[in-house]
Amino acid sequence: MSEDKPASNFIREIIAQDIESGIFGGKVQTRFPPEPNGYLHIGHAKSIVLNFSIAEDYGGTCSLRFDDTNPIKEEQEYVDAITKDVRWLGYDVEEKIYYTSDYFDTLHEYALKLINKGLAYVDDLTADEIREMRGTLTEPGKDSPHRDRSPDENLNLFDKMTMGEFPDGAKTLRAKIDMKSGNLNMRDPVMYRILHSPHHRTGDKWCIYPMYDWAHGQSDSIEGVTHSLCTTEFEDHRPLYDWFLENLGVHQPRQIEFARLNLTHTVLSKRKLIQLVQDGHVSGWDDPRMPTLSGLRRRGFPPGAIRAFCERIGVAKAFSTVEVGLLEFCVREELNKTAPRVMGVLRPLKVVITDYPENQIEELEAENNPEDPGAGSRIMPFSREIYIERDDFMEDAPKKFFRLAPGREVRLKHAYIIKCDEVIKDSNGEVIELRCSHDAGSKSGGPTADRKVKGTLHWVSAAHAFDAEIRLYDHLFMEDDPDNDPESGQKKDFIELLNPGSLETLKGCKLEPSLLKAKAGERFQFMRLGYFCVDSKDSAPERPVFNRTVTLRDAWAKIKKKQAK
Ligand code: ATP
Ligand code: MG
């Protein structure tokens, strides 16, 4: 799957050592464990690619496990969306989809085992009381008055909890570890809570649900995971992960932590992404401006480019933020090789070629992709009236503006060299049409075909082009780091930092006729404008709507920038 040989990293080094020492019998098994309470985003992709590529490279297996322990926030919709996204990224999980909820019986037996060993107890304290007695980083916690219940009493109470005899929050099952531990996670963490709430898979069977820390390591163990890769916020949970497994005397995977991905100009916190969706700041989880995999897919990002990006950023322990430009670079790199070139005009300006016969139509051959000779060619109709991009004409053009201006020449891609003879304006002085003449020998194969002119423009034949809606996207957030802006010293609410210009919808764009049949999800390079993808939701047969995936690099914008300096 990995396009290049993956770079080594500290996780691969640990795994290589484990294979050599034979601690897991030379086996490698990883997993990706999402909680089905939101859609996957580009940060999850980092974890997915890491887990699946490591399993593949070491001849092991990787599974998808839904960490579905919270019936209140979880839904089947999320399970379906996550499965779809993992498959789309290119990983076959067909027989390796697991659910923590499938282990609820085993987890319950494990809990009885710890109770019998005097290592777990039923507590009557409320959640608030538990929090208050937990202490702080500098102060030890206090023992619960129920801490020394006998195993028999605990078994009896736990049974009643399980049978639904207590209301929500009335009791918990806690591990009996050490209320004075320097690690807060070891201060008698809650294993089970009472929640009279149906679960999307187990229905009404349970009214006690395991907490993350109690469920996670045991699920890894039950599945036979060897290397449990997670993000660094779980580093402080590792002693607890190990404590449960050691005291149960079951298979103990090795937990290894790596830094989560942060990306500029976006947020990757699930809570914030949910807020963007619920408060209508975006059109949904798959809004093409969202950093979700469904959003990136709809925007036109190919899965291979996302994998290449994840391989390129590598994994480390240290926190870092990656430029979104790197992700866009990976997208361009792939699409440059694979996307057919076409012509479309976003903001049309009419051009009449006055010396071209009125009813003549020529069928010009246009190659589909200069990077891929196998991609073939198509026919572009050419006629007397065409559209060019409004930005490609300037009345008082500076010297370095290598496009059309009064008296200047440009080449029309795959067609003729034209010269601007006359500028037509409306009563407000706005340019509405150009009158040009053409060099009839300048098309491919003609006597003046090789004549050099500085600029080449894209165009469409006015009579043959069709109108389409096109959406242009910019960063969802204006600032680099909308999560946090330490430089300014002030923390604004991230909603205030939304970019009001992140979506621009253009109607009446003029596209070449070959695009009329373009299908949802198909990707193209609109020459000189960028890469575009047919929107999968709002398009209809013969009425494609296009989303701009990324721009091409714009030489003129660079020159303007330099001049501004
Ligand atoms: P929550 O705060 O709801 O737990 P989460 O982003 O951690 O959100 P999970 O569904 O628990 O969501 O994540 C599944 C896996 O993806 C976990 O192993 C987690 O460590 C990993 N993951 C989540 N966010 C990132 C990220 N930004 N970079 C790398 N890995 C991530
Ligand atoms: Mg998580």
Side-chain angles (χ1 to χ4, degrees), residues 407-431:
R408 291 199 200 172
E409 283 187 319
V410 290
R411 175 174 286 283
L412 298 175
K413 183 77 186 173
H414 302 307
Y416 299 96
I417 293 172
I418 58 167
K419 182 177 181 180
C420 177
D421 305 316
E422 196 186 340
V423 180
I424 314 281
K425 297 179 183 176
D426 66 9
S427 53
N428 300 321
E430 204 187 318
V431 177

Side-chain angles (χ1 to χ4, degrees), residues 230-289:
C230 62
T231 35
T232 47
E233 68 269 28
F234 293 104
E235 196 159 1
D236 290 345
H237 295 242
R238 187 171 2 113
L240 179 57
Y241 183 99
D242 290 338
W243 187 93
F244 280 133
L245 294 167
E246 273 159 23
N247 285 292
L248 289 168
V250 294
H251 162 67
Q252 189 175 342
R254 182 195 295 289
Q255 175 178 308
I256 308 171
E257 308 87 16
F258 64 94
R260 46 173 65 222
L261 169 69
N262 292 284
L263 202 59
T264 57
H265 298 291
T266 195
V267 292
L268 294 181
S269 138
K270 243 188 239 170
R271 182 182 64 75
K272 290 182 179 165
L273 293 174
I274 288 176
Q275 192 181 335
L276 291 175
V277 173
Q278 285 180 347
D279 296 351
H281 297 291
V282 294
S283 65
W285 285 101
D286 63 353
D287 186 301
R289 292 165 294 176

Side-chain angles (χ1 to χ4, degrees), residues 31-38 40-48 51 67 73 82 212 216 229-234 258-262 268-271:
R31 83 286 172 270
F32 172 65
E35 200 184 321
N37 62 357
L40 297 183
H41 54 62
I42 183 78
H44 293 117
K46 174 178 178 174
S47 175
I48 296 170
N51 278 292
D67 222 327
K73 286 191 179 167
I82 290 170
Y212 174 87
H216 194 80
L229 314 181
C230 62
T231 35
T232 47
E233 68 269 28
F234 293 104
F258 64 94
R260 46 173 65 222
L261 169 69
N262 292 284
L268 294 181
S269 138
K270 243 188 239 170
R271 182 182 64 75

Side-chain angles (χ1 to χ4, degrees), residues 39-41 85 266 273 276-301 471-477 498-499 501-505 535-538 547-548:
Y39 280 54
L40 297 183
H41 54 62
D85 287 347
T266 195
L273 293 174
L276 291 175
V277 173
Q278 285 180 347
D279 296 351
H281 297 291
V282 294
S283 65
W285 285 101
D286 63 353
D287 186 301
R289 292 165 294 176
M290 290 281 272
T292 51
L293 296 183
S294 48
L296 297 174
R297 171 167 61 236
R298 199 170 156 199
R299 173 98 169 242
F301 282 38
R471 291 124 179 211
L472 306 181
Y473 299 104
D474 196 355
H475 298 144
L476 188 50
F477 292 93
L498 278 166
N499 175 5
S502 61
L503 167 64
E504 187 180 358
T505 303
D535 189 81
S536 52
K537 271 200 171 157
D538 301 326
N547 298 327
R548 186 170 66 195

Side-chain angles (χ1 to χ4, degrees), residues 71-294:
I72 294 170
K73 286 191 179 167
E74 294 159 5
E75 286 170 32
Q76 187 62 34
E77 177 199 345
Y78 297 130
V79 170
D80 296 341
I82 290 170
T83 310
K84 180 175 171 181
D85 287 347
V86 172
R87 289 206 176 114
W88 175 73
L89 257 194
Y91 302 104
D92 176 22
V93 288
E94 219 64 58
E95 278 138 39
K96 294 183 293 276
I97 301 182
Y98 304 129
Y99 297 84
T100 298
S101 54
D102 285 346
Y103 312 139
F104 282 175
D105 285 301
T106 310
L107 288 170
H108 189 258
E109 282 165 33
Y110 281 178
L112 297 178
K113 198 164 165 182
L114 291 187
I115 294 173
N116 276 314
K117 285 178 91 173
L119 294 175
Y121 62 96
V122 173
D123 201 352
D124 302 354
L125 295 182
T126 64
D128 284 340
E129 288 166 335
I130 289 178
R131 205 172 307 119
E132 275 162 32
M133 292 178 68
R134 201 170 171 221
T136 61
L137 283 174
T138 49
E139 269 176 55
K142 293 193 194 84
D143 287 358
S144 162
H146 313 290
R147 196 172 196 263
D148 290 319
R149 282 176 168 153
S150 69
D152 280 345
E153 193 183 354
N154 283 319
L155 286 174
N156 180 33
L157 286 170
F158 187 54
D159 194 45
K160 287 185 172 157
M161 270 172 74
T162 311
M163 300 311 287
E165 292 187 21
F166 305 116
D168 287 3
K171 298 215 179 335
T172 56
L173 183 75
R174 297 178 71 179
K176 190 169 176 178
I177 310 180
D178 178 7
M179 288 305 292
K180 294 175 186 61
S181 170
N183 183 337
L184 291 170
N185 295 304
M186 300 298 272
R187 294 185 186 170
D188 290 11
V190 172
M191 294 164 60
Y192 277 102
R193 57 184 170 157
I194 301 174
L195 262 181
H196 290 267
S197 175
H199 184 278
H200 69 110
R201 293 189 77 245
T202 59
D204 291 326
K205 181 170 176 193
W206 299 93
C207 63
I208 57 166
Y209 289 96
M211 302 301 288
Y212 174 87
D213 281 317
W214 169 240
H216 194 80
Q218 282 48 255
S219 302
D220 282 347
S221 172
I222 291 165
E223 287 168 8
V225 165
T226 57
H227 296 86
S228 177
L229 314 181
C230 62
T231 35
T232 47
E233 68 269 28
F234 293 104
E235 196 159 1
D236 290 345
H237 295 242
R238 187 171 2 113
L240 179 57
Y241 183 99
D242 290 338
W243 187 93
F244 280 133
L245 294 167
E246 273 159 23
N247 285 292
L248 289 168
V250 294
H251 162 67
Q252 189 175 342
R254 182 195 295 289
Q255 175 178 308
I256 308 171
E257 308 87 16
F258 64 94
R260 46 173 65 222
L261 169 69
N262 292 284
L263 202 59
T264 57
H265 298 291
T266 195
V267 292
L268 294 181
S269 138
K270 243 188 239 170
R271 182 182 64 75
K272 290 182 179 165
L273 293 174
I274 288 176
Q275 192 181 335
L276 291 175
V277 173
Q278 285 180 347
D279 296 351
H281 297 291
V282 294
S283 65
W285 285 101
D286 63 353
D287 186 301
R289 292 165 294 176
M290 290 281 272
T292 51
L293 296 183
S294 48

